[in-house]
Short mmCIF file of all heavy atoms in Angstrom, two decimals:
data_model
loop_
_atom_site.label_atom_id
_atom_site.label_comp_id
_atom_site.label_asym_id
_atom_site.label_seq_id
_atom_site.Cartn_x
_atom_site.Cartn_y
_atom_site.Cartn_z
N MET Y 1 54.57 9.39 -8.75
CA MET Y 1 54.00 8.67 -9.88
C MET Y 1 52.70 9.37 -10.31
O MET Y 1 51.88 9.75 -9.50
CB MET Y 1 53.72 7.23 -9.49
CG MET Y 1 53.08 6.43 -10.60
SD MET Y 1 52.86 4.70 -10.19
CE MET Y 1 54.44 4.10 -10.65
N ALA Y 2 52.54 9.56 -11.59
CA ALA Y 2 51.37 10.25 -12.13
C ALA Y 2 50.17 9.31 -12.22
O ALA Y 2 50.33 8.10 -12.31
CB ALA Y 2 51.69 10.79 -13.51
N ILE Y 3 49.00 9.88 -12.21
CA ILE Y 3 47.78 9.10 -12.41
C ILE Y 3 47.70 8.74 -13.89
O ILE Y 3 47.82 9.62 -14.75
CB ILE Y 3 46.53 9.91 -11.99
CG1 ILE Y 3 46.61 10.26 -10.50
CG2 ILE Y 3 45.25 9.15 -12.30
CD1 ILE Y 3 45.54 11.22 -10.04
N PRO Y 4 47.49 7.46 -14.23
CA PRO Y 4 47.39 7.08 -15.64
C PRO Y 4 46.32 7.89 -16.37
O PRO Y 4 45.28 8.23 -15.80
CB PRO Y 4 47.02 5.60 -15.59
CG PRO Y 4 47.55 5.14 -14.26
CD PRO Y 4 47.37 6.32 -13.34
N LYS Y 5 46.59 8.21 -17.64
CA LYS Y 5 45.69 9.06 -18.42
C LYS Y 5 44.27 8.52 -18.49
O LYS Y 5 43.31 9.28 -18.39
CB LYS Y 5 46.22 9.22 -19.85
CG LYS Y 5 47.42 10.10 -19.96
CD LYS Y 5 47.85 10.22 -21.42
CE LYS Y 5 49.15 10.97 -21.55
NZ LYS Y 5 49.59 11.06 -22.94
N ASN Y 6 44.12 7.20 -18.66
CA ASN Y 6 42.77 6.66 -18.78
C ASN Y 6 41.98 6.79 -17.48
O ASN Y 6 40.78 7.06 -17.50
CB ASN Y 6 42.79 5.20 -19.27
CG ASN Y 6 43.56 4.27 -18.36
OD1 ASN Y 6 44.44 4.68 -17.62
ND2 ASN Y 6 43.24 3.00 -18.43
N ILE Y 7 42.64 6.65 -16.34
CA ILE Y 7 41.94 6.81 -15.06
C ILE Y 7 41.63 8.27 -14.83
O ILE Y 7 40.50 8.63 -14.46
CB ILE Y 7 42.78 6.23 -13.91
CG1 ILE Y 7 42.92 4.72 -14.07
CG2 ILE Y 7 42.16 6.58 -12.55
CD1 ILE Y 7 43.86 4.08 -13.08
N ARG Y 8 42.60 9.14 -15.06
CA ARG Y 8 42.37 10.58 -14.89
C ARG Y 8 41.25 11.06 -15.80
O ARG Y 8 40.36 11.80 -15.39
CB ARG Y 8 43.66 11.35 -15.15
CG ARG Y 8 43.55 12.83 -14.80
CD ARG Y 8 44.86 13.57 -15.00
NE ARG Y 8 45.29 13.52 -16.39
CZ ARG Y 8 46.43 12.98 -16.80
NH1 ARG Y 8 47.27 12.43 -15.94
NH2 ARG Y 8 46.75 12.99 -18.08
N GLY Y 9 41.25 10.59 -17.07
CA GLY Y 9 40.20 10.96 -18.02
C GLY Y 9 38.84 10.50 -17.56
O GLY Y 9 37.86 11.25 -17.64
N TYR Y 10 38.75 9.27 -17.07
CA TYR Y 10 37.47 8.74 -16.59
C TYR Y 10 36.94 9.58 -15.42
O TYR Y 10 35.77 9.95 -15.40
CB TYR Y 10 37.62 7.28 -16.16
CG TYR Y 10 36.34 6.70 -15.61
CD1 TYR Y 10 35.39 6.16 -16.47
CD2 TYR Y 10 36.08 6.70 -14.26
CE1 TYR Y 10 34.20 5.65 -15.98
CE2 TYR Y 10 34.90 6.19 -13.76
CZ TYR Y 10 33.97 5.66 -14.62
OH TYR Y 10 32.78 5.17 -14.11
N LEU Y 11 37.81 9.88 -14.48
CA LEU Y 11 37.40 10.68 -13.32
C LEU Y 11 36.92 12.06 -13.76
O LEU Y 11 35.87 12.53 -13.30
CB LEU Y 11 38.54 10.80 -12.32
CG LEU Y 11 38.98 9.51 -11.65
CD1 LEU Y 11 40.26 9.74 -10.84
CD2 LEU Y 11 37.89 8.94 -10.78
N GLU Y 12 37.66 12.68 -14.65
CA GLU Y 12 37.29 14.02 -15.10
C GLU Y 12 36.01 14.01 -15.92
O GLU Y 12 35.15 14.88 -15.76
CB GLU Y 12 38.45 14.65 -15.86
CG GLU Y 12 39.61 14.97 -14.93
CD GLU Y 12 40.88 15.39 -15.64
OE1 GLU Y 12 40.91 15.44 -16.89
OE2 GLU Y 12 41.87 15.67 -14.92
N GLU Y 13 35.85 13.04 -16.82
CA GLU Y 13 34.64 12.94 -17.64
C GLU Y 13 33.39 12.73 -16.78
O GLU Y 13 32.29 13.16 -17.15
CB GLU Y 13 34.75 11.79 -18.63
CG GLU Y 13 35.70 12.06 -19.77
CD GLU Y 13 35.97 10.82 -20.61
OE1 GLU Y 13 35.17 9.86 -20.54
OE2 GLU Y 13 36.99 10.80 -21.32
N ASN Y 14 33.56 12.08 -15.64
CA ASN Y 14 32.44 11.79 -14.76
C ASN Y 14 32.36 12.75 -13.58
O ASN Y 14 31.62 12.51 -12.63
CB ASN Y 14 32.51 10.33 -14.29
CG ASN Y 14 32.20 9.39 -15.43
OD1 ASN Y 14 31.05 9.17 -15.76
ND2 ASN Y 14 33.24 8.84 -16.06
N HIS Y 15 33.12 13.83 -13.65
CA HIS Y 15 33.09 14.91 -12.65
C HIS Y 15 33.32 14.38 -11.23
O HIS Y 15 32.63 14.78 -10.30
CB HIS Y 15 31.78 15.70 -12.74
CG HIS Y 15 31.47 16.15 -14.13
ND1 HIS Y 15 32.17 17.17 -14.75
CD2 HIS Y 15 30.58 15.69 -15.05
CE1 HIS Y 15 31.70 17.33 -15.98
NE2 HIS Y 15 30.74 16.44 -16.19
N VAL Y 16 34.30 13.47 -11.10
CA VAL Y 16 34.65 12.91 -9.80
C VAL Y 16 35.71 13.79 -9.18
O VAL Y 16 36.74 14.07 -9.79
CB VAL Y 16 35.17 11.46 -9.94
CG1 VAL Y 16 35.64 10.92 -8.60
CG2 VAL Y 16 34.10 10.57 -10.55
N THR Y 17 35.47 14.23 -7.95
CA THR Y 17 36.45 15.03 -7.23
C THR Y 17 37.50 14.09 -6.65
O THR Y 17 37.16 13.08 -6.02
CB THR Y 17 35.77 15.81 -6.09
OG1 THR Y 17 34.77 16.66 -6.67
CG2 THR Y 17 36.78 16.66 -5.35
N TYR Y 18 38.76 14.37 -6.87
CA TYR Y 18 39.84 13.55 -6.35
C TYR Y 18 41.07 14.41 -6.14
O TYR Y 18 41.15 15.52 -6.64
CB TYR Y 18 40.17 12.39 -7.30
CG TYR Y 18 40.80 12.84 -8.61
CD1 TYR Y 18 42.18 12.90 -8.74
CD2 TYR Y 18 40.02 13.22 -9.69
CE1 TYR Y 18 42.76 13.33 -9.93
CE2 TYR Y 18 40.59 13.64 -10.88
CZ TYR Y 18 41.97 13.69 -10.99
OH TYR Y 18 42.54 14.11 -12.15
N TRP Y 19 42.01 13.90 -5.39
CA TRP Y 19 43.30 14.54 -5.28
C TRP Y 19 44.36 13.46 -5.17
O TRP Y 19 44.10 12.35 -4.75
CB TRP Y 19 43.36 15.51 -4.10
CG TRP Y 19 43.25 14.89 -2.76
CD1 TRP Y 19 44.26 14.47 -1.94
CD2 TRP Y 19 42.04 14.58 -2.05
NE1 TRP Y 19 43.78 13.94 -0.79
CE2 TRP Y 19 42.41 13.99 -0.83
CE3 TRP Y 19 40.68 14.75 -2.33
CZ2 TRP Y 19 41.48 13.57 0.10
CZ3 TRP Y 19 39.76 14.32 -1.41
CH2 TRP Y 19 40.15 13.75 -0.21
N ARG Y 20 45.54 13.79 -5.58
CA ARG Y 20 46.67 12.88 -5.57
C ARG Y 20 47.61 13.32 -4.46
O ARG Y 20 47.91 14.51 -4.31
CB ARG Y 20 47.38 12.93 -6.92
CG ARG Y 20 48.53 11.99 -7.03
CD ARG Y 20 49.16 12.13 -8.42
NE ARG Y 20 50.40 11.42 -8.45
CZ ARG Y 20 51.57 11.90 -8.05
NH1 ARG Y 20 51.65 13.13 -7.61
NH2 ARG Y 20 52.65 11.16 -8.10
N ALA Y 44 40.19 4.96 -1.75
CA ALA Y 44 40.04 4.07 -2.91
C ALA Y 44 41.31 3.28 -3.17
O ALA Y 44 42.41 3.78 -2.98
CB ALA Y 44 39.68 4.88 -4.15
N LYS Y 45 41.11 2.03 -3.59
CA LYS Y 45 42.24 1.21 -4.04
C LYS Y 45 41.90 0.66 -5.41
O LYS Y 45 40.75 0.56 -5.80
CB LYS Y 45 42.51 0.06 -3.07
CG LYS Y 45 41.42 -0.99 -3.01
CD LYS Y 45 41.79 -2.10 -2.05
CE LYS Y 45 40.66 -3.08 -1.87
NZ LYS Y 45 41.01 -4.11 -0.89
N THR Y 46 42.95 0.31 -6.14
CA THR Y 46 42.79 -0.25 -7.47
C THR Y 46 43.26 -1.69 -7.44
O THR Y 46 44.31 -1.99 -6.89
CB THR Y 46 43.64 0.53 -8.49
OG1 THR Y 46 43.26 1.91 -8.44
CG2 THR Y 46 43.43 0.01 -9.89
N VAL Y 47 42.45 -2.57 -8.01
CA VAL Y 47 42.79 -3.99 -8.10
C VAL Y 47 42.89 -4.33 -9.59
O VAL Y 47 41.98 -4.05 -10.36
CB VAL Y 47 41.71 -4.87 -7.43
CG1 VAL Y 47 42.06 -6.34 -7.53
CG2 VAL Y 47 41.52 -4.45 -5.98
N VAL Y 48 44.03 -4.91 -10.00
CA VAL Y 48 44.23 -5.28 -11.40
C VAL Y 48 43.80 -6.73 -11.57
O VAL Y 48 44.21 -7.61 -10.82
CB VAL Y 48 45.70 -5.09 -11.84
CG1 VAL Y 48 45.88 -5.48 -13.29
CG2 VAL Y 48 46.13 -3.65 -11.60
N PHE Y 55 43.35 -7.18 -19.51
CA PHE Y 55 43.51 -6.66 -18.17
C PHE Y 55 42.46 -5.59 -17.92
O PHE Y 55 42.16 -4.78 -18.80
CB PHE Y 55 44.91 -6.06 -17.97
CG PHE Y 55 45.98 -7.11 -17.95
CD1 PHE Y 55 46.76 -7.33 -19.08
CD2 PHE Y 55 46.22 -7.86 -16.82
CE1 PHE Y 55 47.75 -8.29 -19.07
CE2 PHE Y 55 47.20 -8.83 -16.80
CZ PHE Y 55 47.96 -9.05 -17.92
N VAL Y 56 41.90 -5.59 -16.72
CA VAL Y 56 40.94 -4.57 -16.30
C VAL Y 56 41.30 -4.14 -14.89
O VAL Y 56 42.03 -4.84 -14.18
CB VAL Y 56 39.48 -5.09 -16.35
CG1 VAL Y 56 39.07 -5.45 -17.76
CG2 VAL Y 56 39.28 -6.27 -15.42
N MET Y 57 40.81 -2.99 -14.50
CA MET Y 57 41.04 -2.50 -13.15
C MET Y 57 39.71 -2.25 -12.48
O MET Y 57 38.79 -1.72 -13.09
CB MET Y 57 41.86 -1.20 -13.18
CG MET Y 57 43.24 -1.43 -13.69
SD MET Y 57 44.38 -0.02 -13.73
CE MET Y 57 43.46 1.40 -13.41
N ALA Y 58 39.64 -2.64 -11.23
CA ALA Y 58 38.47 -2.35 -10.40
C ALA Y 58 38.92 -1.36 -9.33
O ALA Y 58 39.99 -1.51 -8.75
CB ALA Y 58 37.94 -3.62 -9.75
N VAL Y 59 38.11 -0.35 -9.09
CA VAL Y 59 38.41 0.63 -8.06
C VAL Y 59 37.34 0.48 -6.99
O VAL Y 59 36.14 0.51 -7.28
CB VAL Y 59 38.41 2.08 -8.63
CG1 VAL Y 59 38.70 3.08 -7.52
CG2 VAL Y 59 39.43 2.20 -9.76
N LEU Y 60 37.77 0.28 -5.76
CA LEU Y 60 36.83 0.08 -4.66
C LEU Y 60 37.41 0.65 -3.38
O LEU Y 60 38.57 1.01 -3.32
CB LEU Y 60 36.48 -1.40 -4.51
CG LEU Y 60 37.61 -2.38 -4.26
CD1 LEU Y 60 37.07 -3.58 -3.51
CD2 LEU Y 60 38.19 -2.84 -5.59
#
Side-chain angles (χ1 to χ4, degrees):
M1 178 176 275
I3 298 171
K5 288 181 187 179
N6 59 336
I7 295 173
R8 188 177 62 241
Y10 178 85
L11 294 172
E12 291 171 359
E13 287 170 19
N14 290 280
H15 309 287
V16 175
T17 301
Y18 68 93
W19 66 93
R20 182 180 170 275
K45 67 179 174 183
T46 304
V47 180
V48 180
F55 290 101
V56 297
M57 294 183 350
V59 179
L60 58 153

